Amino acid sequence: MNELSILADGRATPWFVGWGTLALINAGLAQGKNRSGLLWFLLSLVFGPFATLVLVLMPKARQTLF
């Protein structure tokens, strides 16, 4: 058994690493669009690539009204 694996089944570990990396990337994308990075990080942990698609299609949020 691989001592670096988090789960008993070492084959599932790369899947979780990829999902977490995607969540971090989405948090950076969200901050670049003036949106909450923490909120999008958490949404990405649940929805994964679907959250990425929504985030990419959303327009940049305005910081002020004028």
Side-chain angles (χ1 to χ4, degrees):
M1 184 152 107
N2 184 359
E3 59 270 354
L4 296 176
S5 67
I6 297 170
L7 304 174
D9 181 13
R11 293 174 295 172
T13 304
W15 186 81
F16 287 107
V17 171
W19 203 268
T21 303
L22 180 64
L24 288 172
I25 291 169
N26 285 347
L29 283 172
Q31 288 181 344
K33 291 191 171 203
N34 298 329
R35 300 188 183 278
S36 171
L38 177 61
L39 175 64
W40 279 98
F41 174 78
L42 296 174
L43 286 173
S44 296
L45 287 177
V46 176
F47 297 112
F50 298 111
T52 306
L53 179 65
V54 170
L55 186 57
V56 167
L57 295 176
M58 291 176 73
K60 187 173 183 176
R62 296 190 311 184
Q63 289 182 337
T64 59
L65 292 175
F66 298 105

